[in-house]
Amino acid sequence: MIPIISIIIPCYNQGRYLNDALQSIAALNDSSLYEVIIVNDGSTDAITLSVLNEFETKGHTIINQNNKGLGAARNTGIKAATGKYILPLDCDNKIKPEYIYESIKLLEEDPLLDVVYSNAEYFGDKAGLWESGDFNLQRLMIENYIDACAVFRKSTWEKIGGYDEKMPVMGYEDWDFWLRIAFNNGNFKYINKVLFYYRYSEKSMIRSIQKDRLTSIYSYMETKHSKYLNRKYLNNLIFFKTSRNKGLAFYLFMKSYFPKISSILRKAGVLDNKEII
């Protein structure tokens, strides 16, 4: 029986977490709904290799490849997927069964819907709620607020050519992926519930990126999506519009470059948008 959804788990030297991810998937009552594809992206860690071998012996699908990076690992898994829907799951994270059921229901009901995403709960080095919020293209063009752990159609992935495997810094493949879907008139649906668990680590890849490497990401993205992304233009526009209004300048600066912080400040009454009216 062909599964409806394929769960793709890239793994590079993080085998110690893999069992937690698989156990969270196993909590689904109907195993016929899904398949799990684990992509070993050239792991060298002895523990990881042992864990992968153990799971392969138990019948799990393991695809081995030389280390090519996160985007390439996801693409490899999705190419092999038989489900019409895809859920990328980092091997150190976990999902709730409801994520599968609710996403499938929404995608089945609306053939024009491309992506379903939700909130997350932090665990590990940090506790609390990651509240993504409703889809907003302007916000997505400034920052990636949608985690890779979202459900999308395999046909959408095929349409836009999959994840970019040439990103200069790993960890931003999903941001580029969501933007390309949006720029191709894709539709996103936000579920205002905690449907997966995000392991927060102070030593994670995304938090270890140095400022100079972060600059290279923005430069790459602006060059690739020059029709839509242009910080120089935004800077000049803000300067022009606010040269005589310092309050407006501060508001637009915070809103444009620090949307999460500005939202907190607005709720606290510290940042007011009256200057714009």
Side-chain angles (χ1 to χ4, degrees):
M1 184 174 180
I2 299 176
I4 297 177
I5 188 168
S6 299
I7 303 173
I8 311 300
I9 306 179
C11 183
Y12 176 68
N13 291 340
Q14 290 186 306
R16 62 191 182 280
Y17 301 126
L18 190 53
N19 188 55
D20 289 344
L22 292 175
Q23 284 189 341
S24 73
I25 297 169
L28 276 77
N29 293 326
D30 188 355
S31 60
S32 66
L33 284 177
Y34 68 90
E35 66 177 349
V36 178
I37 299 174
I38 302 168
V39 181
N40 172 28
D41 189 35
S43 296
T44 57
D45 172 65
I47 294 176
T48 297
L49 294 175
S50 175
V51 168
L52 289 170
N53 182 65
E54 178 184 348
F55 282 120
E56 187 170 27
T57 301
K58 291 180 179 179
H60 287 277
T61 300
I62 310 287
I63 300 177
N64 296 295
Q65 66 177 32
N66 294 329
N67 182 246
K68 297 179 180 179
L70 188 56
R74 288 187 186 140
N75 284 339
T76 295
I78 296 170
K79 286 175 187 175
T82 58
K84 62 195 264 191
Y85 307 128
I86 303 295
L87 173 62
L89 176 63
D90 290 346
C91 66
D92 56 342
N93 293 341
K94 301 181 291 185
I95 63 168
K96 287 187 173 183
E98 293 88 345
Y99 207 174
I100 301 298
Y101 300 128
E102 296 198 30
S103 296
I104 289 175
K105 182 176 184 295
L106 289 169
L107 289 161
E108 291 284 284
E109 290 177 346
D110 185 356
L112 298 180
L113 184 60
D114 293 279
V115 182
V116 177
Y117 66 100
S118 75
N119 297 330
E121 183 177 323
Y122 292 113
F123 71 107
D125 292 340
K126 177 180 178 179
L129 174 67
W130 175 354
E131 191 171 3
S132 299
D134 291 325
F135 182 76
N136 183 286
L137 178 55
Q138 184 180 36
R139 180 184 173 192
L140 186 64
M141 290 167 70
I142 296 169
E143 62 162 355
N144 183 27
Y145 64 94
I146 302 174
D147 188 69
C149 189
V151 181
F152 54 85
R153 297 182 188 275
K154 183 175 181 180
S155 60
T156 300
W157 172 86
E158 293 170 336
K159 176 183 176 182
I160 67 167
Y163 289 94
D164 186 346
E165 300 182 13
K166 298 179 180 179
M167 299 289 286
V169 180
M170 285 192 297
Y172 285 82
E173 294 84 357
D174 47 317
W175 184 28
D176 173 77
F177 186 65
W178 304 140
L179 282 173
R180 282 188 287 128
I181 292 175
F183 294 157
N184 281 275
N185 300 313
N187 294 302
F188 292 70
K189 178 68 175 179
Y190 165 57
I191 302 176
N192 189 12
K193 296 180 182 179
V194 172
L195 294 178
F196 73 100
Y197 299 96
Y198 182 93
R199 188 186 301 272
Y200 188 98
S201 172
E202 295 292 349
K203 298 180 181 180
S204 70
M205 175 177 61
I206 200 71
R207 265 167 289 283
S208 65
I209 296 174
Q210 299 175 351
K211 289 184 178 180
D212 58 337
R213 301 185 71 196
L214 191 59
T215 299
S216 71
I217 275 290
Y218 289 135
S219 296
Y220 179 85
M221 294 289 281
E222 287 183 16
T223 300
K224 181 176 181 178
H225 303 294
S226 58
K227 182 179 178 181
Y228 304 97
L229 305 179
N230 192 318
R231 284 176 176 258
K232 183 177 180 180
Y233 173 82
L234 181 60
N235 290 339
N236 291 338
L237 179 65
I238 290 177
F239 179 78
F240 175 76
K241 293 288 186 181
T242 62
S243 58
R244 297 183 180 180
N245 190 325
K246 293 182 179 179
L248 176 58
F250 179 71
Y251 177 84
L252 288 178
F253 175 79
M254 294 297 295
K255 179 69 174 177
S256 299
Y257 295 109
F258 303 98
K260 291 182 179 178
I261 297 176
S262 66
S263 177
I264 294 172
L265 292 177
R266 285 200 310 274
K267 291 178 180 179
V270 176
L271 186 63
D272 198 346
N273 65 353
K274 291 180 180 178
E275 297 285 354
I276 295 181
I277 300 174

